[in-house]
Amino acid sequence: MTETDRRHPAARVTLTDVADLAGVSVGTASKALSGNGRMRPETRQRVLDAAQRLDFQPNEQARSLLAGRSWTVGLITTDGIGRFSTPVLLGAEDALGAGKISVLLCDTRGDAIRERHYVQTLLGRRVDGIIVTGRRTDPRAPLAGLGGVPTVYALSPSSDPADMSVASDDEGGARLAVEHLISSGRRRIAHITGPAHHAAAQHRARLTEDLLAQADLELCGGRVQFGDWSEAWGRRAARAVLRTAPDTDGFFCGNDQIARGVADTLREEGHRVPDDVAVVGYDNWDTMALASRPPLTTIDMNLGEIGRVAALRLLEAIDGTPTTGVQTVPCKLVMRESS
């Protein structure tokens, strides 16, 4: 009869059982199973053999004690709406779930006091690491008081180059949009985007002007149309562009809400999309892009992949091999009927 057979069938094998069979203390068994501590190789092997014979499966609490980890990760977001943070979270969970790591979600709602509270709460829960995300691509101040807990910033990069950040390749996304319009024969291209003080609007506008200049083209309407991220702004800006440049044949819009407003205005004023004028949006937000008439060609920021890569970088940092700087994730052009 084996050692396992002599036990009650319903009894769970414990670390104490492993230690008893190996003839060592519970502390020595814990160190041997976790790979920590100094001991004779034959002692470590005796513990491993005992665990195998007993088919030892540590519960979550024992697993945490053995590894010195909680097997939990905090995710702090400023995006209460969730349109940007939810895909990032899902991507992170896909990567973390493979390691049986749980995610604790904290929504700061953009409040600095709430953020500090959640940092302290997560540290109190002894999380192994933290992922920070938000609704904007602007660099943000790093979290304070982390006490050495590994942290990765996703979508909203840290302003500290010593931190690890994973961001969308905003300039690459703008390049996909503009080159698509040019390659489809558009030569009178306007750009309508959000507030000038937003990093996303600045980056996309600058590259749009550069790419048009490289193709010996000028921005239609004479300037970038900065405004807000809304359908209403898209409608107003489109009318303004058409008044000054009625021969406009392409619009690159800073997000899908603006693009839907542009498409509505073009249809109302008798311009056929895409026969007369092509429209390209940004974000690939299904609620907007698919409900638009016609459905929008747009740029997908690959938010799920940003979350997945951020989680992988965090796992590396937790395992003692952190990296620093900003890693960008490529965007994708999603073709639909508006171009």
Side-chain angles (χ1 to χ4, degrees):
M1 180 179 292
T2 67
E3 189 71 22
T4 302
D5 293 335
R6 286 195 291 270
R7 300 182 182 279
H8 189 280
R12 182 184 183 92
V13 177
T14 66
L15 184 61
T16 301
D17 298 328
V18 175
D20 288 345
L21 182 59
V24 299
S25 69
V26 172
T28 298
S30 173
K31 292 176 182 177
L33 291 173
S34 66
N36 297 322
R38 298 176 61 183
M39 65 187 68
R40 297 169 62 185
E42 53 267 33
T43 301
R44 189 184 304 277
Q45 190 58 51
R46 194 163 69 248
V47 173
L48 295 175
D49 290 343
Q52 184 175 11
R53 285 180 60 188
L54 296 175
D55 191 25
F56 175 59
Q57 301 291 332
N59 60 28
E60 288 303 309
Q61 184 177 9
R63 184 169 172 243
S64 299
L65 291 172
L66 285 172
R69 291 173 55 177
S70 66
W71 302 97
T72 57
V73 164
L75 191 145
I76 296 178
T77 177
T78 62
D79 183 18
I81 298 174
R83 179 159 67 92
F84 292 101
S85 64
T86 297
V88 173
L89 170 63
L90 294 176
E93 281 191 321
D94 285 345
L96 296 170
K100 298 183 179 179
I101 296 175
S102 300
V103 175
L104 303 176
L105 177 62
C106 303
D107 179 11
T108 71
R109 304 174 197 173
D111 183 271
I113 295 175
R114 190 183 296 267
E115 181 175 272
R116 289 195 293 272
H117 165 73
Y118 279 134
V119 168
Q120 293 306 310
T121 298
L122 292 173
L123 295 180
R125 296 287 294 269
R126 298 179 63 247
V127 294
D128 297 324
I130 297 173
I131 295 174
V132 185
T133 188
R135 67 165 63 99
R136 288 171 57 174
T137 60
D138 300 65
R140 55 151 292 154
L143 296 180
L146 290 173
V149 173
T151 301
V152 175
Y153 298 82
L155 187 63
S156 303
S158 169
S159 57
D160 187 346
D163 290 330
M164 179 65 213
S165 300
V166 181
S168 175
D169 181 8
D170 235 9
E171 293 191 358
R175 182 180 299 276
L176 286 173
V178 175
E179 290 184 345
H180 167 65
L181 287 170
I182 293 174
S183 66
S184 63
R186 311 297 170 167
R187 293 295 180 267
R188 300 280 293 163
I189 299 170
H191 182 46
I192 303 175
T193 191
H197 63 274
H198 283 208
Q202 292 174 5
H203 294 163
R204 295 166 197 170
R206 184 179 67 250
L207 193 73
T208 297
E209 291 181 298
D210 290 346
L211 289 170
L212 290 176
Q214 291 170 23
D216 293 325
L217 300 175
E218 293 183 357
L219 195 64
C220 204
R223 63 181 179 86
V224 174
Q225 304 291 321
F226 289 107
D228 55 57
W229 305 109
S230 69
E231 289 182 69
W233 166 239
R235 289 191 290 270
R236 293 197 307 272
R239 292 191 185 98
V241 169
L242 292 173
R243 279 197 302 270
T244 59
D247 56 348
T248 300
D249 62 4
F251 282 91
F252 169 36
C253 303
N255 74 354
D256 291 336
Q257 290 167 275
I258 293 172
R260 183 173 173 180
V262 170
D264 287 347
T265 295
L266 290 170
R267 186 176 63 254
E268 291 166 2
E269 300 201 0
H271 298 276
R272 298 171 301 167
V273 178
D275 296 1
D276 302 326
V277 186
V279 179
V280 176
Y282 208 103
D283 293 341
N284 195 29
W285 185 20
D286 284 355
T287 300
M288 285 290 159
L290 297 180
S292 178
R293 298 172 55 195
L296 295 171
T297 292
T298 185
I299 302 298
D300 191 317
M301 297 173 66
N302 223 346
L303 296 174
E305 181 66 4
I306 290 174
R308 190 187 73 84
V309 172
L312 295 178
R313 296 294 84 81
L314 183 64
L315 292 175
E316 291 172 356
I318 291 170
D319 289 339
T321 56
T323 53
T324 61
V326 180
Q327 178 179 348
T328 58
V329 173
C331 297
K332 298 180 293 187
L333 176 68
V334 179
M335 292 286 297
R336 296 194 182 96
E337 291 93 318
S338 69
S339 67

